[in-house]
Amino acid sequence: MLFKLMTLVHLCAAFPLKCPEAAQWRLRANSHCADSSKYSCLWDDNIKEYSENCTRFDFQNAGRKSVLRGGIDADECSKERYQPSGYTLYTNASTNCILLKSFCNEEGQVVYDHGNRTTDATCICNYRRGFAFLIKPNNPCYCKPSQEDCSCFLKICSNSSHILSPDYKCTINSDLHPVTHCRAITDENDNSGRKPDVKETFLKEDNVSVFVLEPWKERSVNAILSFSAFENNGPEPELNLIEGDTLILQYMLPIKRLRLCFFKDDTLIAETVNVKKHVLEKTNVTLGDQGNYFAKVCKIRSRITKVTVQSMFTSEFNTIKCIEGEKLQFKCSVYSIDINVELSKVDAKDKQIGNITMQRDGKDHCMTIQQAQLSDAGQYMMVAGNVQKPVTVTVAAMFTSEFNTIKCIEGEKLQFKCSVYSEDINVELSKVDAKDKQIGNILMQRDGKDHCMTIQQAQLSDAGKYMIVAGNVKKPVTATVAAMYTSEFRPMKCIEGETLQLKCSVYSEDINIEWYKDDTKVKQNKNISIEIDGKDHCMTIQQAKLSDAGQYMVSAGNVEKQVTVTVEVLPEAINRLPEKYRTRYIELMQSTEVEKRYFVRIMIVGKETVGKTSLVRRLLKEEKIDDVNSTDGLDIVVHRCKINIDDGKWMIGNFTFDDRGDRIHRAVNKESLKNYMPTNISHEQSNTSSVIASTDEFKHIEVQVKNRNDISDTATLSDLETSTPMLKKKNEHLMDEEDSCLDNASLATKDTKDTDQTLENIGKIEDEGNIKDDENDINNDTKDISIENKVTKKSLALVKPLDLMSHVFSKTATSNIPSSHYALCGLWDFAGQKDFYATHQTFLTSSAIYLVVADMADEIFREGRKHCFEDFQNVGEYVDFWFDTIHCHRTIEPRVNESSIDHIDPPVILVLTGKDKYKKDEEKKRKNDLQTQLDKVLGYQSKYHHLRSIFCLSNTTDPYNEFEKLQDEISTKVREMKTWGETMPLKWILLEHLIEINKDNGKNFINLSEMADLAKHSSINILDIEDVKLFLCFQHEVGSLIYFEDIPDFIILKPKWLVDAFRCLVSDRIDDKLQHRTDSTKFVQNGQISESLILELFKSKCESQFSDQIGNLVRVMEKFDILVKVDKTSSYIVPSMMPFLPFSEVCNLVGLENQNKCKRTSWLCLKFTFLPPAFFNHVSVWFIKKYSKPENQKQSMMLFRGICVLDIDQSGCKKLLVTMSTDIIAIQLLSFSTGKTDFINRCSNIYEDLIEQVQAITKRYRMTIFYEPHFKCSSGQYFKDTISYKDLKSSTDLEYLCLQHKEPHQCKEIYLPWMNNAEKIWQDYKDLLHHDMHFLTEELTQWLSDCDKTISENLQEAQINLDKIKAMLERISGMKQTLNNTAKRCGILGVNIDNLSNEEAQEEINDNRLAEKIDDKFKVTTDELEKRMDSIRDTILQLELVDKRRSDVDSSLPIKKKESKQIEETPVKPHANDAVIEQHNLRVRV
């Protein structure tokens, strides 16, 4: 009986090659072809299968595909595909036509038209089965699936007997076919659609079609046969199974006990017995289970059952290879679309694979690990149903090189190197945790598989974690960058003249560094040295200058570090001292503790009766001002206020202590102070801060106090037997200032007595001693009296408390460190009368703030130029005068473009008093009017930049808060000044305090020996006399005391005491008792004063406080040019007290108007931008001293205020006229001689001496003024319409028109008498230029050539050559110095290129260019000679080394010879051969 076939399996085996799907195309192209763009997989008609190619690619347009027929040819699309116009088939992208035709196999659909090679199939709903379109298509008869929704639904007609027509309308069911618009469906259409249980998974043109009948898992095969039919019957002759199915072969036997044997391919595989139903069951069949099966029983064989097993996986499984980071894909095709496939890894703890995505496309499955790692390599198992397929995976490392920590030095190359799997892999570098992942300064290089990423100059910020990325693989790399410099770089500060050292340490000793300043390489010279000590480098600049400040750069490798160097200007007071003291100050600052000096000095100036004194009182919170009297000379307010350093607030009160305790507090820390503070201070003592409590450690001295500000008549001073150590240095700021100090009462005088000696050699000056200035008596109506220093009382002994530090704090502060610190403030009220202006110049300074006071009611305008000392007519002239005066003490030079000048120090605040005279609205208008007037007077002038603000006040009605605003403005401007916080030695504080103690004890003056004794105090320890002099000079410059080196026996401790002494003489208030004296009348009328009158004025005005020091006071006044000693006489002249006489009357007295008798030179006019009145006094004093006659000769000089007429020869026929105007000092020589007069030589000499003196006065009084030489015809008005030397020289004509006389004058006749020497010097300068150029270009060149021929063969010759070069270097330095001095002298005398004619100027332009060339030549030559000297020094060192070695050899040679001889006679070794060898070696060494 034939087996009934239950299952049908139809299989068409796949051909060997299958073209890749679109998703796999690129992967296949990359792996198969070197150029993936040329890969193609096409049907080959010659071999009837698909073929891959890498030669070229082509394309086909609508309706065609590419096939191979020897070459690429075009073929029509298959029936199942189409390719419309607009689509292009590229052979490197696809095998078949691009689009697959629609199947029309959805529910209810059938094919309407199959389309063609360029169009898709169209579908209709099968109306014969009751289906209609769900959505009406564009064409009612059919639908285009590729363009519209072709879904069908089962349409039910309302009449069950009706059917649907081709138009999808319900119609009667009959044999007659109704006429319809749409075409009817044929049987072919009806069967053309797909069956719902069959899915075509491969295209027909692939020659593979598999149809699977469902369900496959429940299928089994049973065959029932009877024993009688066993031989011819059994299971079905053919069984088709799927891999993993169960194979069941069942046979029925009638007899239970029979044994049934199962065979496969004639091989016994199993047997059964004693069963009626014999079954062979095999689960999970494999391909190996295929074969011919049959059974035997009793030698009867059943028919053969052919079993075939269809593979579960229809694709092969090969080893999968990928690169780390790329996609790892497991692909397979299974028998049916409803088969699930799973993937697991063998020998993995977790069989499940996490980072995997599963995709399926019908029977095709793809499992992807997105970024493969090296750990993903290994054995995997692909599972489908009961079938498992092993798959081996290898993951090649993306990076074939190891990654270690990269180390480099800052500035060097930082290189990241790696090797990758393939040459076409790109590598990128990024930094972890960086805001910008991209690295800018990086160079990418590759050499095949090797990559190198280089940061050219590594910085410290380049250290950290990096990520090297190739594909999807990231590898971390750590980079460390060692600092090139192991030392820190901080801004450097030093004082001008100090030694400046720039130090650095580098990573390694073999690193070379270079120093740069402002982008210019620094080279060693006599001032700059560069030293190296292993890793440490140091550049030293000796005596730093202001020009040494700037940006310095040190370069090591490629690493550059910037250092800002600030060279602070020496304190102004120090900078005014001689060079020796500046050098000593710098040395002192380098070797001792330092502090910062804070002080406030307020100068109140202005016209008389404008309320200056009342303003001072209101600033000090005094309400009563109705008893104010006019200031006589100068009032100094001391110990009345101090200003907070931090916030600028004023503290008003009677302070009996100074600021030094606070300054020390700022200089040291709390711990240091504990060692110096007194332990037991009583409540009363701490309140008064004047005495120290009694303890066993202290002994007391009762001191009589003469200071009226002291609280008690006596003060107890501690006198500790042991001294305290000096304070440790602390970087906090200290202050130094005292209200009673005179800031600018100093002059740089010439020494007339040498006091440069040690302390031990200074003789004691007896307080009782008398000092006489002049032994000559002066005859007058009373009696002959000579000025001397009389002793009226015994001088008080010096007070020197042993525990000076405790005394500082007991006098100044409590034991707690103050929370805020104060600077003492001094107010200086200057008299407004013009008579005092000359003496005011003595006390003016650039380190003060000025209040210029004026009345609001006065108009501010200025008159034109005036003669001599004519009085000011309006307040505008006063304001202008004071602004000019203050401008002379400015701290910066005005720039060329004065409109761009910032504020200039010292600052000025204009205070307008009398506000109470105006209503509020009128006050504002008045202030605006005065501002406009002020702009007209001062506008467009650099002096206007001193003005900071304008205040309108009423001393009588304004409340105190209005004056507080002025206080705040003063504080703000003072703290902005450069002198605020200047640095000074800390030990000077204690010496200042010790001086203050003695001042409080009644000391007004001491001598140098006493001052040196104070400086020796154990707490101060200043032992060198030169350091004492430096301290005194500094205190003199800042006005704390008055000291002149040539008057060492008279050091004035209280400047106010000196001011009171000035007032005795410089005042028109003479005691009525002295009015009858002849010399008194002479003093009032012509300013001449006798010695006896000086004594009487001091006695009458100042009682007896000056009587014992009148001689020294007179000498000091001479220093300030307040008194002028008439040479070889016993009389003096007081320039400020000379009478006023109009210039015209003076001319009549002299006889200038008589042109027949008086011959006159042209006027020499020094025209100033501003001329201080006192400046003329200093000039006139110099002329008076220069041309005054001995007392035994007749004096004929005429002295008036602003006019001097002096004899310049013995006969009196030749006179010198010196006068002034608002801005001119004018000089004219007069001759009443009947003989021929030649003025040229005398005029030239006077001009040179005058210019030299003007320079000295400017430097001496620290004034910044400018002038230029002008000239005027002999009979002209010297104060207007003058013509400059520049204009006279640059005139193309030889004459100019005099505006006063309206007639021409010869230019040379005007300027030549005065400028003759200057022009000779100018010519000498030009001759020097040409001489020096000739020497440098010819003589020196030849000399250098001769030197090159000389070779130093021994040490003596080398030293001779070195001396020759030194001598030449000194000669060149001398030539350069001479040239510079001559050029400077020309500039001082006013001769330069600006003062020449056009022709001369053109010639001088060439000379200036020549000067520049010579200057360059000097520099080049100096460098060349220094190089040669360095070379010879090296040679000398080498020769000295050679000589030393030669000497060592010579000294050791006799010893070696002696040893050799001994060895020859007595060998040291027993064998003769060894002895001979040793002797030979010894001879060689010798």
Side-chain angles (χ1 to χ4, degrees), residues 496-550:
E496 182 183 8
E498 266 189 301
T499 298
L500 173 64
Q501 284 191 328
L502 300 180
K503 297 181 179 181
C504 72
S505 299
V506 292
Y507 178 79
S508 174
E509 292 186 4
D510 56 354
I511 295 175
N512 295 323
I513 73 168
E514 293 180 340
W515 298 90
Y516 294 85
K517 179 183 183 294
D518 299 331
D519 299 327
T520 302
K521 185 176 179 180
V522 178
K523 297 181 180 179
Q524 293 193 78
N525 53 43
K526 61 182 180 181
N527 293 325
I528 300 176
S529 62
I530 298 176
E531 299 174 347
I532 302 173
D533 183 10
K535 301 177 184 179
D536 301 324
H537 296 252
C538 178
M539 180 179 71
T540 304
I541 300 176
Q542 302 291 341
Q543 297 182 350
K545 303 176 183 177
L546 295 179
S547 59
D548 291 325

Side-chain angles (χ1 to χ4, degrees), residues 165-216:
S165 69
D167 292 332
Y168 305 103
K169 297 178 182 179
C170 291
T171 183
I172 299 173
N173 185 10
S174 68
D175 295 333
L176 297 175
H177 297 288
V179 177
T180 59
H181 176 73
C182 295
R183 188 177 66 190
I185 296 177
T186 63
D187 291 339
E188 181 183 357
N189 294 122
D190 200 11
N191 295 327
S192 62
R194 301 291 188 203
K195 302 302 180 186
D197 58 342
V198 178
K199 180 178 180 183
E200 181 177 344
T201 58
F202 294 95
L203 302 178
K204 290 183 179 180
E205 57 194 23
D206 291 332
N207 290 330
V208 179
S209 296
V210 179
F211 298 91
V212 181
L213 301 179
E214 297 292 346
W216 66 274

Side-chain angles (χ1 to χ4, degrees), residues 23 124 242 252 278 295 313 567 739 787 857 1032 1040 1071 1084 1139 1240 1297 1412 1431 1482:
I124 64 173
I242 304 299
M252 297 295 294
H278 296 265
F313 295 95
V567 180
D739 261 277
I787 293 180
L1032 290 172
S1040 296
D1071 195 333
V1084 173
I1240 290 181
L1297 180 65
E1412 294 175 358
S1431 177
L1482 186 58

